[in-house]
Amino acid sequence: MAMIIDGKKISNDIKEELKEQVANLKREGITISLAVVQVGNDPASTVYVGNKKKACEFVGIQSLSYELPESTTEKELLELVHKLNQDPAVNGILVQLPLPKHMDENKIIQAISPAKDVDGFHPQSVGALSIGQNGFVSCTPAGILELLKRTGITIEGKECVIIGRSNIVGKPMGMLMLRENATVTICHSRTKDLKEVARRADILIVAIGKAKFVTKEYVKEGAVIIDVGMNRDENNKLCGDVDYEDVIEKVSAITPVPGGVGPMTIAMLMNNCVRSAIMHQKES
Ligand code: GUN
C-alpha cells in the first residue's frame, strides 16, 4: 500500500512549531514582519497573497500589505523595494509574481536585499545554495525536502530524477537533493527517452505544469513520487502533473494534489521569515 504524504498535516505541524517560536521571540522583544507586495489584481495572485497573509496571522508574523495598481511603473516599484530594504522593521520582502508585462521581473528580484529575500529568488540566494553557503532557499523545494525528511524517506545515495528545470523549483530542487547526497538528474522538454530516465528514479519529482503527464510507464516499482503540479483536469477538478490513479499501485509513497506540496510552500515562507528576523537580530 502506498503511503500518502500528508502535506497539509505536515505544514500545519510546522506552522504550530513556528507559532511557538515566534511567541518566544516576542517575549525577547523580537517582532517579525513581512512586506507583501502585489501589483495589479491577477485573481490567482490575489488568492496566493491572501493565503500568505493568513499564514502570517496564524504564526504571529505581522504582514505589511502593499497593493499597487497595474499602472505602477517599474521605477515606482523599485523605489518601494529600496524603501523596504532600508526599513529595519521589515524582515522579509515578497513581491508576488508574475508582475505586469511592462516590468522586468529579474530587475525587481535583484533589487531585493538578499538579507530579506524570503522567497530565495535573488541570484545571491541561488548562488549560495549552489555552493553550499547559507542563504534563503526557494520555498517550494525547501518544502519538498522537509516533506521527505519528516516522512522518514532516506535521500542519501538515492537516484533522484526531477522533471522540470525552472528557476524556482527544478534547479534549486536539484541543488538541495545534491546537498543531501542524492544522485541527481534534471530532465526537461528536450530530454531523450524521458520515460526511461524517469524510471531510474527512487525519488521522482515532477514540476512541469502538464496535467496528469506522468503515468505508470514513467515510474519504477516502489518509487517515491513528489507532484508539484497544480492543474485542472477535463472535469475542471484540481490535479497534479502525475496521473495519481494510474501510478498509485506502483509507488511506495506519493504526494496528493491538492494537499501535498502546495501547503508546504507557505509553511517554508513563514520559516524563512522567522530565520530572517533571527539573523537581523544577531546583526544589530
Ligand atoms: N508566484 C507564484 N509562486 C510564487 C512564490 O512562491 N513567490 C512569489 N513571490 N511569487 C509567486
Side-chain angles (χ1 to χ4, degrees), residues 114-148:
K116 299 187 179 185
D117 175 36
V118 286
D119 256 329
F121 293 169
H122 191 284
Q124 188 172 314
S125 308
V126 179
L129 172 64
S130 313
I131 57 172
Q133 289 184 357
N134 280 337
F136 292 112
V137 177
S138 177
C139 300
T140 300
I144 291 170
L145 181 60
E146 201 60 28
L147 273 184
L148 293 169

PDB file of all heavy atoms in Angstrom, residues 114-148:
ATOM      1  N   PRO A 114      19.365  40.636  -0.410  1.00  0.00           N
ATOM      2  CA  PRO A 114      19.463  39.197  -0.143  1.00  0.00           C
ATOM      3  C   PRO A 114      19.172  38.859   1.323  1.00  0.00           C
ATOM      4  O   PRO A 114      18.698  37.777   1.629  1.00  0.00           O
ATOM      5  CB  PRO A 114      20.912  38.857  -0.504  1.00  0.00           C
ATOM      6  CG  PRO A 114      21.305  39.909  -1.483  1.00  0.00           C
ATOM      7  CD  PRO A 114      20.566  41.160  -1.074  1.00  0.00           C
ATOM      8  N   ALA A 115      19.392  39.825   2.220  1.00  0.00           N
ATOM      9  CA  ALA A 115      19.124  39.589   3.646  1.00  0.00           C
ATOM     10  C   ALA A 115      17.621  39.542   3.949  1.00  0.00           C
ATOM     11  O   ALA A 115      17.219  39.099   5.027  1.00  0.00           O
ATOM     12  CB  ALA A 115      19.777  40.683   4.479  1.00  0.00           C
ATOM     13  N   LYS A 116      16.798  40.001   2.996  1.00  0.00           N
ATOM     14  CA  LYS A 116      15.336  39.998   3.203  1.00  0.00           C
ATOM     15  C   LYS A 116      14.624  39.166   2.131  1.00  0.00           C
ATOM     16  O   LYS A 116      13.401  39.198   2.027  1.00  0.00           O
ATOM     17  CB  LYS A 116      14.804  41.444   3.188  1.00  0.00           C
ATOM     18  CG  LYS A 116      15.403  42.305   4.304  1.00  0.00           C
ATOM     19  CD  LYS A 116      14.753  43.671   4.386  1.00  0.00           C
ATOM     20  CE  LYS A 116      15.380  44.477   5.526  1.00  0.00           C
ATOM     21  NZ  LYS A 116      14.708  45.762   5.736  1.00  0.00           N
ATOM     22  N   ASP A 117      15.387  38.410   1.365  1.00  0.00           N
ATOM     23  CA  ASP A 117      14.860  37.676   0.208  1.00  0.00           C
ATOM     24  C   ASP A 117      14.237  36.350   0.640  1.00  0.00           C
ATOM     25  O   ASP A 117      14.745  35.266   0.335  1.00  0.00           O
ATOM     26  CB  ASP A 117      16.014  37.446  -0.787  1.00  0.00           C
ATOM     27  CG  ASP A 117      15.616  36.587  -1.959  1.00  0.00           C
ATOM     28  OD1 ASP A 117      14.464  36.711  -2.413  1.00  0.00           O
ATOM     29  OD2 ASP A 117      16.455  35.785  -2.412  1.00  0.00           O
ATOM     30  N   VAL A 118      13.111  36.432   1.359  1.00  0.00           N
ATOM     31  CA  VAL A 118      12.496  35.225   1.934  1.00  0.00           C
ATOM     32  C   VAL A 118      11.925  34.269   0.873  1.00  0.00           C
ATOM     33  O   VAL A 118      11.628  33.117   1.172  1.00  0.00           O
ATOM     34  CB  VAL A 118      11.423  35.581   2.980  1.00  0.00           C
ATOM     35  CG1 VAL A 118      12.077  36.067   4.255  1.00  0.00           C
ATOM     36  CG2 VAL A 118      10.435  36.614   2.437  1.00  0.00           C
ATOM     37  N   ASP A 119      11.802  34.745  -0.376  1.00  0.00           N
ATOM     38  CA  ASP A 119      11.395  33.859  -1.471  1.00  0.00           C
ATOM     39  C   ASP A 119      12.588  33.033  -1.985  1.00  0.00           C
ATOM     40  O   ASP A 119      12.396  32.037  -2.679  1.00  0.00           O
ATOM     41  CB  ASP A 119      10.862  34.694  -2.643  1.00  0.00           C
ATOM     42  CG  ASP A 119       9.354  34.677  -2.759  1.00  0.00           C
ATOM     43  OD1 ASP A 119       8.753  33.654  -2.392  1.00  0.00           O
ATOM     44  OD2 ASP A 119       8.796  35.682  -3.223  1.00  0.00           O
ATOM     45  N   GLY A 120      13.798  33.500  -1.697  1.00  0.00           N
ATOM     46  CA  GLY A 120      15.001  32.793  -2.173  1.00  0.00           C
ATOM     47  C   GLY A 120      15.230  32.904  -3.666  1.00  0.00           C
ATOM     48  O   GLY A 120      15.863  32.044  -4.263  1.00  0.00           O
ATOM     49  N   PHE A 121      14.703  33.976  -4.295  1.00  0.00           N
ATOM     50  CA  PHE A 121      14.807  34.119  -5.754  1.00  0.00           C
ATOM     51  C   PHE A 121      16.014  34.953  -6.197  1.00  0.00           C
ATOM     52  O   PHE A 121      16.364  34.966  -7.368  1.00  0.00           O
ATOM     53  CB  PHE A 121      13.548  34.799  -6.326  1.00  0.00           C
ATOM     54  CG  PHE A 121      12.282  33.980  -6.218  1.00  0.00           C
ATOM     55  CD1 PHE A 121      11.043  34.557  -6.483  1.00  0.00           C
ATOM     56  CD2 PHE A 121      12.317  32.630  -5.886  1.00  0.00           C
ATOM     57  CE1 PHE A 121       9.863  33.813  -6.402  1.00  0.00           C
ATOM     58  CE2 PHE A 121      11.145  31.879  -5.799  1.00  0.00           C
ATOM     59  CZ  PHE A 121       9.921  32.478  -6.058  1.00  0.00           C
ATOM     60  N   HIS A 122      16.622  35.707  -5.285  1.00  0.00           N
ATOM     61  CA  HIS A 122      17.737  36.588  -5.667  1.00  0.00           C
ATOM     62  C   HIS A 122      18.935  35.748  -6.139  1.00  0.00           C
ATOM     63  O   HIS A 122      19.209  34.686  -5.567  1.00  0.00           O
ATOM     64  CB  HIS A 122      18.146  37.430  -4.448  1.00  0.00           C
ATOM     65  CG  HIS A 122      19.087  38.544  -4.795  1.00  0.00           C
ATOM     66  ND1 HIS A 122      20.424  38.333  -5.051  1.00  0.00           N
ATOM     67  CD2 HIS A 122      18.881  39.881  -4.945  1.00  0.00           C
ATOM     68  CE1 HIS A 122      20.997  39.499  -5.348  1.00  0.00           C
ATOM     69  NE2 HIS A 122      20.084  40.444  -5.281  1.00  0.00           N
ATOM     70  N   PRO A 123      19.651  36.213  -7.191  1.00  0.00           N
ATOM     71  CA  PRO A 123      20.806  35.442  -7.683  1.00  0.00           C
ATOM     72  C   PRO A 123      21.802  35.090  -6.567  1.00  0.00           C
ATOM     73  O   PRO A 123      22.408  34.013  -6.594  1.00  0.00           O
ATOM     74  CB  PRO A 123      21.455  36.371  -8.710  1.00  0.00           C
ATOM     75  CG  PRO A 123      20.364  37.264  -9.163  1.00  0.00           C
ATOM     76  CD  PRO A 123      19.410  37.425  -8.007  1.00  0.00           C
ATOM     77  N   GLN A 124      21.940  35.964  -5.588  1.00  0.00           N
ATOM     78  CA  GLN A 124      22.872  35.659  -4.483  1.00  0.00           C
ATOM     79  C   GLN A 124      22.369  34.474  -3.641  1.00  0.00           C
ATOM     80  O   GLN A 124      23.157  33.630  -3.211  1.00  0.00           O
ATOM     81  CB  GLN A 124      23.051  36.895  -3.594  1.00  0.00           C
ATOM     82  CG  GLN A 124      24.156  36.690  -2.566  1.00  0.00           C
ATOM     83  CD  GLN A 124      24.460  37.973  -1.813  1.00  0.00           C
ATOM     84  OE1 GLN A 124      24.591  39.040  -2.429  1.00  0.00           O
ATOM     85  NE2 GLN A 124      24.558  37.901  -0.491  1.00  0.00           N
ATOM     86  N   SER A 125      21.048  34.414  -3.437  1.00  0.00           N
ATOM     87  CA  SER A 125      20.469  33.288  -2.682  1.00  0.00           C
ATOM     88  C   SER A 125      20.653  31.986  -3.468  1.00  0.00           C
ATOM     89  O   SER A 125      21.007  30.944  -2.908  1.00  0.00           O
ATOM     90  CB  SER A 125      18.978  33.517  -2.433  1.00  0.00           C
ATOM     91  OG  SER A 125      18.745  34.778  -1.855  1.00  0.00           O
ATOM     92  N   VAL A 126      20.389  32.057  -4.771  1.00  0.00           N
ATOM     93  CA  VAL A 126      20.515  30.873  -5.634  1.00  0.00           C
ATOM     94  C   VAL A 126      21.983  30.423  -5.673  1.00  0.00           C
ATOM     95  O   VAL A 126      22.286  29.229  -5.567  1.00  0.00           O
ATOM     96  CB  VAL A 126      20.004  31.181  -7.067  1.00  0.00           C
ATOM     97  CG1 VAL A 126      20.145  29.964  -7.966  1.00  0.00           C
ATOM     98  CG2 VAL A 126      18.549  31.645  -7.025  1.00  0.00           C
ATOM     99  N   GLY A 127      22.895  31.403  -5.789  1.00  0.00           N
ATOM    100  CA  GLY A 127      24.325  31.091  -5.838  1.00  0.00           C
ATOM    101  C   GLY A 127      24.799  30.457  -4.542  1.00  0.00           C
ATOM    102  O   GLY A 127      25.568  29.479  -4.553  1.00  0.00           O
ATOM    103  N   ALA A 128      24.330  31.001  -3.412  1.00  0.00           N
ATOM    104  CA  ALA A 128      24.739  30.469  -2.102  1.00  0.00           C
ATOM    105  C   ALA A 128      24.323  29.005  -1.982  1.00  0.00           C
ATOM    106  O   ALA A 128      25.102  28.159  -1.518  1.00  0.00           O
ATOM    107  CB  ALA A 128      24.112  31.303  -0.985  1.00  0.00           C
ATOM    108  N   LEU A 129      23.104  28.701  -2.431  1.00  0.00           N
ATOM    109  CA  LEU A 129      22.615  27.314  -2.377  1.00  0.00           C
ATOM    110  C   LEU A 129      23.515  26.406  -3.230  1.00  0.00           C
ATOM    111  O   LEU A 129      23.861  25.295  -2.820  1.00  0.00           O
ATOM    112  CB  LEU A 129      21.163  27.267  -2.882  1.00  0.00           C
ATOM    113  CG  LEU A 129      20.539  25.887  -3.071  1.00  0.00           C
ATOM    114  CD1 LEU A 129      20.436  25.146  -1.741  1.00  0.00           C
ATOM    115  CD2 LEU A 129      19.153  26.001  -3.717  1.00  0.00           C
ATOM    116  N   SER A 130      23.925  26.918  -4.391  1.00  0.00           N
ATOM    117  CA  SER A 130      24.736  26.102  -5.308  1.00  0.00           C
ATOM    118  C   SER A 130      26.101  25.764  -4.745  1.00  0.00           C
ATOM    119  O   SER A 130      26.674  24.744  -5.098  1.00  0.00           O
ATOM    120  CB  SER A 130      24.941  26.826  -6.636  1.00  0.00           C
ATOM    121  OG  SER A 130      23.731  27.324  -7.090  1.00  0.00           O
ATOM    122  N   ILE A 131      26.650  26.643  -3.896  1.00  0.00           N
ATOM    123  CA  ILE A 131      27.993  26.364  -3.374  1.00  0.00           C
ATOM    124  C   ILE A 131      27.962  26.029  -1.885  1.00  0.00           C
ATOM    125  O   ILE A 131      28.984  26.082  -1.200  1.00  0.00           O
ATOM    126  CB  ILE A 131      28.989  27.515  -3.682  1.00  0.00           C
ATOM    127  CG1 ILE A 131      28.493  28.840  -3.109  1.00  0.00           C
ATOM    128  CG2 ILE A 131      29.233  27.622  -5.175  1.00  0.00           C
ATOM    129  CD1 ILE A 131      29.523  29.963  -3.222  1.00  0.00           C
ATOM    130  N   GLY A 132      26.768  25.685  -1.391  1.00  0.00           N
ATOM    131  CA  GLY A 132      26.657  25.186  -0.021  1.00  0.00           C
ATOM    132  C   GLY A 132      26.834  26.246   1.050  1.00  0.00           C
ATOM    133  O   GLY A 132      27.218  25.928   2.173  1.00  0.00           O
ATOM    134  N   GLN A 133      26.568  27.511   0.712  1.00  0.00           N
ATOM    135  CA  GLN A 133      26.648  28.562   1.734  1.00  0.00           C
ATOM    136  C   GLN A 133      25.253  28.905   2.254  1.00  0.00           C
ATOM    137  O   GLN A 133      24.253  28.552   1.636  1.00  0.00           O
ATOM    138  CB  GLN A 133      27.303  29.809   1.134  1.00  0.00           C
ATOM    139  CG  GLN A 133      28.777  29.594   0.874  1.00  0.00           C
ATOM    140  CD  GLN A 133      29.457  30.864   0.379  1.00  0.00           C
ATOM    141  OE1 GLN A 133      28.827  31.892   0.175  1.00  0.00           O
ATOM    142  NE2 GLN A 133      30.755  30.768   0.173  1.00  0.00           N
ATOM    143  N   ASN A 134      25.222  29.605   3.384  1.00  0.00           N
ATOM    144  CA  ASN A 134      23.942  29.990   3.977  1.00  0.00           C
ATOM    145  C   ASN A 134      23.211  31.002   3.114  1.00  0.00           C
ATOM    146  O   ASN A 134      23.822  31.914   2.574  1.00  0.00           O
ATOM    147  CB  ASN A 134      24.172  30.625   5.350  1.00  0.00           C
ATOM    148  CG  ASN A 134      24.398  29.563   6.396  1.00  0.00           C
ATOM    149  OD1 ASN A 134      23.980  28.413   6.221  1.00  0.00           O
ATOM    150  ND2 ASN A 134      25.064  29.935   7.470  1.00  0.00           N
ATOM    151  N   GLY A 135      21.916  30.851   3.021  1.00  0.00           N
ATOM    152  CA  GLY A 135      21.091  31.806   2.282  1.00  0.00           C
ATOM    153  C   GLY A 135      19.674  31.283   2.290  1.00  0.00           C
ATOM    154  O   GLY A 135      19.427  30.152   2.705  1.00  0.00           O
ATOM    155  N   PHE A 136      18.751  32.107   1.819  1.00  0.00           N
ATOM    156  CA  PHE A 136      17.364  31.653   1.773  1.00  0.00           C
ATOM    157  C   PHE A 136      17.164  30.696   0.604  1.00  0.00           C
ATOM    158  O   PHE A 136      17.622  30.952  -0.504  1.00  0.00           O
ATOM    159  CB  PHE A 136      16.421  32.851   1.649  1.00  0.00           C
ATOM    160  CG  PHE A 136      16.404  33.689   2.892  1.00  0.00           C
ATOM    161  CD1 PHE A 136      16.933  34.968   2.900  1.00  0.00           C
ATOM    162  CD2 PHE A 136      15.864  33.179   4.068  1.00  0.00           C
ATOM    163  CE1 PHE A 136      16.922  35.734   4.050  1.00  0.00           C
ATOM    164  CE2 PHE A 136      15.857  33.944   5.231  1.00  0.00           C
ATOM    165  CZ  PHE A 136      16.394  35.216   5.219  1.00  0.00           C
ATOM    166  N   VAL A 137      16.440  29.605   0.884  1.00  0.00           N
ATOM    167  CA  VAL A 137      16.154  28.610  -0.151  1.00  0.00           C
ATOM    168  C   VAL A 137      14.715  28.807  -0.616  1.00  0.00           C
ATOM    169  O   VAL A 137      13.806  29.001   0.208  1.00  0.00           O
ATOM    170  CB  VAL A 137      16.353  27.183   0.395  1.00  0.00           C
ATOM    171  CG1 VAL A 137      15.991  26.150  -0.674  1.00  0.00           C
ATOM    172  CG2 VAL A 137      17.788  26.979   0.867  1.00  0.00           C
ATOM    173  N   SER A 138      14.527  28.796  -1.904  1.00  0.00           N
ATOM    174  CA  SER A 138      13.213  28.901  -2.535  1.00  0.00           C
ATOM    175  C   SER A 138      12.211  27.958  -1.822  1.00  0.00           C
ATOM    176  O   SER A 138      12.542  26.814  -1.497  1.00  0.00           O
ATOM    177  CB  SER A 138      13.422  28.527  -4.002  1.00  0.00           C
ATOM    178  OG  SER A 138      12.245  28.523  -4.702  1.00  0.00           O
ATOM    179  N   CYS A 139      11.021  28.482  -1.541  1.00  0.00           N
ATOM    180  CA  CYS A 139      10.120  27.824  -0.582  1.00  0.00           C
ATOM    181  C   CYS A 139       9.564  26.464  -1.042  1.00  0.00           C
ATOM    182  O   CYS A 139       9.415  25.564  -0.219  1.00  0.00           O
ATOM    183  CB  CYS A 139       8.968  28.763  -0.252  1.00  0.00           C
ATOM    184  SG  CYS A 139       9.535  30.310   0.474  1.00  0.00           S
ATOM    185  N   THR A 140       9.259  26.303  -2.318  1.00  0.00           N
ATOM    186  CA  THR A 140       8.693  25.008  -2.756  1.00  0.00           C
ATOM    187  C   THR A 140       9.731  23.883  -2.638  1.00  0.00           C
ATOM    188  O   THR A 140       9.447  22.845  -2.015  1.00  0.00           O
ATOM    189  CB  THR A 140       8.089  25.123  -4.171  1.00  0.00           C
ATOM    190  OG1 THR A 140       7.054  26.099  -4.131  1.00  0.00           O
ATOM    191  CG2 THR A 140       7.523  23.794  -4.652  1.00  0.00           C
ATOM    192  N   PRO A 141      10.951  24.049  -3.178  1.00  0.00           N
ATOM    193  CA  PRO A 141      11.956  22.990  -2.979  1.00  0.00           C
ATOM    194  C   PRO A 141      12.269  22.738  -1.503  1.00  0.00           C
ATOM    195  O   PRO A 141      12.390  21.582  -1.071  1.00  0.00           O
ATOM    196  CB  PRO A 141      13.202  23.517  -3.703  1.00  0.00           C
ATOM    197  CG  PRO A 141      12.726  24.566  -4.614  1.00  0.00           C
ATOM    198  CD  PRO A 141      11.470  25.123  -4.059  1.00  0.00           C
ATOM    199  N   ALA A 142      12.362  23.815  -0.715  1.00  0.00           N
ATOM    200  CA  ALA A 142      12.632  23.634   0.723  1.00  0.00           C
ATOM    201  C   ALA A 142      11.502  22.835   1.374  1.00  0.00           C
ATOM    202  O   ALA A 142      11.740  21.976   2.230  1.00  0.00           O
ATOM    203  CB  ALA A 142      12.784  24.996   1.410  1.00  0.00           C
ATOM    204  N   GLY A 143      10.267  23.093   0.939  1.00  0.00           N
ATOM    205  CA  GLY A 143       9.104  22.380   1.477  1.00  0.00           C
ATOM    206  C   GLY A 143       9.124  20.902   1.091  1.00  0.00           C
ATOM    207  O   GLY A 143       8.761  20.038   1.895  1.00  0.00           O
ATOM    208  N   ILE A 144       9.552  20.617  -0.116  1.00  0.00           N
ATOM    209  CA  ILE A 144       9.622  19.215  -0.570  1.00  0.00           C
ATOM    210  C   ILE A 144      10.663  18.456   0.260  1.00  0.00           C
ATOM    211  O   ILE A 144      10.420  17.328   0.705  1.00  0.00           O
ATOM    212  CB  ILE A 144       9.954  19.153  -2.082  1.00  0.00           C
ATOM    213  CG1 ILE A 144       8.764  19.685  -2.880  1.00  0.00           C
ATOM    214  CG2 ILE A 144      10.325  17.728  -2.512  1.00  0.00           C
ATOM    215  CD1 ILE A 144       9.040  19.907  -4.362  1.00  0.00           C
ATOM    216  N   LEU A 145      11.811  19.094   0.485  1.00  0.00           N
ATOM    217  CA  LEU A 145      12.852  18.443   1.294  1.00  0.00           C
ATOM    218  C   LEU A 145      12.318  18.148   2.701  1.00  0.00           C
ATOM    219  O   LEU A 145      12.535  17.061   3.255  1.00  0.00           O
ATOM    220  CB  LEU A 145      14.093  19.349   1.360  1.00  0.00           C
ATOM    221  CG  LEU A 145      15.266  18.790   2.151  1.00  0.00           C
ATOM    222  CD1 LEU A 145      15.733  17.472   1.551  1.00  0.00           C
ATOM    223  CD2 LEU A 145      16.415  19.790   2.188  1.00  0.00           C
ATOM    224  N   GLU A 146      11.610  19.099   3.259  1.00  0.00           N
ATOM    225  CA  GLU A 146      11.034  18.935   4.598  1.00  0.00           C
ATOM    226  C   GLU A 146      10.005  17.794   4.609  1.00  0.00           C
ATOM    227  O   GLU A 146       9.965  17.008   5.558  1.00  0.00           O
ATOM    228  CB  GLU A 146      10.397  20.275   4.999  1.00  0.00           C
ATOM    229  CG  GLU A 146      10.203  20.485   6.468  1.00  0.00           C
ATOM    230  CD  GLU A 146      11.467  20.453   7.311  1.00  0.00           C
ATOM    231  OE1 GLU A 146      12.566  20.783   6.816  1.00  0.00           O
ATOM    232  OE2 GLU A 146      11.343  20.064   8.493  1.00  0.00           O
ATOM    233  N   LEU A 147       9.187  17.706   3.556  1.00  0.00           N
ATOM    234  CA  LEU A 147       8.217  16.600   3.442  1.00  0.00           C
ATOM    235  C   LEU A 147       8.924  15.253   3.468  1.00  0.00           C
ATOM    236  O   LEU A 147       8.512  14.334   4.171  1.00  0.00           O
ATOM    237  CB  LEU A 147       7.457  16.683   2.111  1.00  0.00           C
ATOM    238  CG  LEU A 147       6.195  17.514   1.985  1.00  0.00           C
ATOM    239  CD1 LEU A 147       5.605  17.332   0.588  1.00  0.00           C
ATOM    240  CD2 LEU A 147       5.168  17.139   3.031  1.00  0.00           C
ATOM    241  N   LEU A 148      10.001  15.152   2.690  1.00  0.00           N
ATOM    242  CA  LEU A 148      10.746  13.881   2.615  1.00  0.00           C
ATOM    243  C   LEU A 148      11.342  13.548   3.980  1.00  0.00           C
ATOM    244  O   LEU A 148      11.221  12.420   4.468  1.00  0.00           O
ATOM    245  CB  LEU A 148      11.858  13.968   1.559  1.00  0.00           C
ATOM    246  CG  LEU A 148      11.391  14.081   0.096  1.00  0.00           C
ATOM    247  CD1 LEU A 148      12.560  14.419  -0.823  1.00  0.00           C
ATOM    248  CD2 LEU A 148      10.733  12.778  -0.356  1.00  0.00           C
TER     249      LEU A 148
END
